[in-house]
Amino acid sequence: MRAAVVGTGYVGLVTGVCLSHLGHEVVCVDRDEKKIENLKKGILPIYEPGLQEILEKCAEKERLFFSSSLQSAGGKDFLFIAVGTPSDEIGRADLSQVEAVVEALSRLELVEDLLVVMKSTVPVGTCIWAETFLKEKSRRPERFRVVSCPEFLREGTAVDDFIHPERIVIGAEQEGDARKVQELFAGIETRFVLTDTRSSELIKYASNAFLATKISFINEIAGICERAGADVKEVARGMGLDSRIGEKFLNAGLGYGGSCFPKDTLALIYQAEDLGYDFRILKAVAGVNEGLRKRAVQKLERLLGGNLQGKKIGLWGLSFKPGTDDIREAPSLTLIQKIKARGGEVTAYDPLVKGLSAAGIDGMRYADDPYGAAEGADAVVLVTEWEEFRKADLARVKKAMSGNVFLDGRNVFDPLEMKGLGFVYEGMGRGTGGEMS
Ligand code: UGA
């Protein structure tokens, strides 16, 4: 089948490249001409394991194309909208990019039917709005129909998630349209959820909000563990063995970041508000997450004798999670700003992220490895749980430091072993008697 994918961010690029991998003819469209020129040369704007190889293979087989013009959507069976829906200044989903694509689509002179598939994460009712708009404004209203097909890809494992999804959700007002989209994924073994567009749109937000809730819940338990002398990792292990709870997303630490959970929880709070509903749990989830970085800096201050003035901090990990170079809403950014505001000096190391000026953070040093970040440091703070840190020679780390404080923001290490190595070690919620705010 023939598909166009508009938007070449994480979602669009992975969708386009992987659909082509399934055997479809795909054109990826983006208004950013430089990005398109680079993609034509095989240069990806993002790091995503496995994507480069598939892109090259599909381009070679002449099944994958790139274009900066929406006109190339003409003659296709499907058009995926996969543009960004970032937070606006108060936290609602900013739909301007989606609206611009729908507006441009309404001006296309189509000679064949085009099924518009909404991949972008959009508030409930957006697909209905888009279809109504296209029917009202287009000169070929009968050609358009809009369906919802939210994505559940995780950065760092997006290709594998596409090929082995736990479910594919398709929301359509007419079952025939949902079946057409289902055919696109022929060859993928999974469960399909065929539903209406509104429910489909909400499945996406509810899924992310629920996962965020699990994370904030375990972080609250971590707060209790510190006061009670319990270990949150043990508590999570015991809880997770109950299949109704599940062991995943019960890792306490510095909380969730990235381009999805922070934005989608806020957007859902506002959608609820717009519908006259007060989503109290989700407000608390977002509040708890916000507080975690402050909690970590307070810990660091306490461990370093009450203040951070002139203290040297080695920071391990900048990306919002391992396996990606994405720093959007990464806990590292807030931590660095708070440490610097209190007079501390930061030397950071991340396996992929080599600078933070894109995030407006200057005036800090970067090391070439974890030991370089620890060199002369009063404290080392582990922010992102990269495998490289798990494997680090901790005795060498200790030797390189001038102090001995280790704050483990992701509970990677064993407290007893760390103490045995001579560290003053604290994790997040590991019963080490922290008196926290
Ligand atoms: C998330 C969802 O997992 C995907 O299903 C969804 O498609 C995607 O958002 C999206 O909406 O596009 P992603 O943002 O790539 O994917 O990252 P996750 O692996 O879900 O992690 C999110 C954040 O939660 C990270 O900062 C991670 O460190 C944190 N986290 C995760 C925890 O603090 N504790 C945990 O137990 C799990």
Side-chain angles (χ1 to χ4, degrees), residues 4-56:
V5 180
V6 184
T8 57
Y10 270 100
V11 176
L13 213 46
V14 174
T15 303
V17 172
C18 291
L19 280 174
S20 168
H21 177 65
L22 292 182
H24 305 297
E25 186 190 304
V26 178
V27 58
C28 294
V29 183
D30 201 297
R31 60 184 174 187
D32 184 337
E33 290 180 12
K34 178 100 191 91
K35 223 170 162 187
I36 291 297
E37 281 318 307
N38 279 337
L39 282 165
K40 283 180 181 167
K41 291 183 212 148
I43 304 169
L44 284 171
I46 53 163
Y47 169 79
E48 190 59 46
L51 196 59
Q52 181 86 42
E53 292 81 350
I54 302 183
L55 180 143
E56 282 167 15

Side-chain angles (χ1 to χ4, degrees), residues 78-378:
F78 301 91
L79 180 131
F80 283 77
I81 299 181
V83 293
T85 52
S87 294
D88 69 8
E89 56 295 338
I90 56 162
R92 284 190 164 79
D94 172 357
L95 288 181
S96 54
Q97 294 180 51
V98 171
E99 287 162 0
V101 175
V102 173
E103 216 283 317
L105 280 179
S106 72
R107 284 184 269 115
L108 282 185
E109 292 289 343
L110 293 181
V111 286
E112 289 173 61
D113 287 354
L114 185 68
L115 200 50
V116 178
V117 186
M118 192 66 79
K119 265 270 157 222
S120 302
T121 300
V122 290
V124 180
T126 305
C127 287
I128 303 261
W129 165 81
E131 187 166 307
T132 310
F133 184 93
L134 289 168
K135 293 219 179 302
E136 280 172 15
K137 304 280 177 185
S138 170
R139 284 207 276 164
R140 310 305 300 269
E142 72 288 357
R143 294 266 174 244
F144 289 105
R145 246 176 346 255
V146 181
V147 300
S148 158
C149 182
E151 63 83 25
F152 301 99
L153 311 172
R154 291 161 301 171
E155 288 184 23
T157 53
V159 172
D160 195 52
D161 287 346
F162 187 96
I163 295 167
H164 306 287
E166 292 193 342
R167 83 295 207 190
I168 291 177
V169 176
I170 304 169
E173 300 310 307
Q174 297 181 26
E175 203 189 328
D177 292 339
R179 296 274 172 218
K180 275 188 204 151
V181 178
Q182 191 174 0
E183 279 171 34
L184 264 179
F185 298 102
I188 289 188
E189 264 184 51
T190 189
R191 282 167 292 194
F192 283 89
V193 179
L194 304 192
T195 182
D196 62 284
T197 54
R198 286 187 176 92
S199 303
S200 171
E201 289 162 335
L202 196 52
I203 287 170
K204 169 67 190 179
Y205 277 107
S207 300
N208 274 2
F210 187 78
L211 291 170
T213 303
K214 248 185 133 176
I215 297 171
S216 280
F217 182 86
I218 201 66
N219 281 318
E220 288 282 71
I221 295 292
I224 297 170
C225 283
E226 298 207 343
R227 287 166 171 78
D231 185 340
V232 71
K233 281 187 90 160
E234 292 301 303
V235 177
R237 187 160 67 96
M239 288 168 64
L241 290 173
D242 183 332
S243 64
R244 292 170 304 172
I245 298 173
E247 62 186 4
K248 292 180 181 159
F249 280 68
L250 284 182
N251 295 318
L254 294 166
Y256 59 81
S259 64
C260 306
F261 287 177
K263 131 181 124 64
D264 293 346
T265 44
L266 281 185
L268 186 51
I269 289 168
Y270 281 111
Q271 280 175 68
E273 193 175 295
D274 292 345
L275 293 164
Y277 195 83
D278 185 10
F279 202 152
R280 287 168 296 171
I281 291 180
L282 205 52
K283 285 180 181 168
V285 165
V288 167
N289 197 58
E290 286 256 340
L292 292 169
R293 290 118 213 219
K294 186 172 154 213
R295 200 196 261 187
V297 173
Q298 284 172 342
K299 254 178 198 249
L300 195 59
E301 273 180 325
R302 172 172 50 76
L303 291 166
L304 287 172
N307 75 77
L308 298 182
Q309 191 62 43
K311 298 283 164 44
K312 293 190 168 61
I313 313 297
L315 200 114
W316 284 7
L318 295 169
S319 57
F320 84 93
K321 67 171 189 179
T324 176
D325 62 355
D326 197 339
I327 53 166
R328 285 176 286 178
E329 302 285 335
S332 63
L333 305 180
T334 335
L335 278 183
I336 290 168
Q337 277 155 346
K338 287 189 188 295
I339 293 169
K340 281 168 59 121
R342 287 162 175 75
E345 289 170 31
V346 181
T347 303
Y349 169 71
D350 185 281
L352 283 182
V353 183
K354 299 300 172 195
L356 293 178
S357 29
I361 296 181
D362 297 306
M364 52 177 279
R365 291 190 308 189
Y366 299 93
D368 294 329
D369 58 30
Y371 311 102
E375 192 66 48
D378 297 292

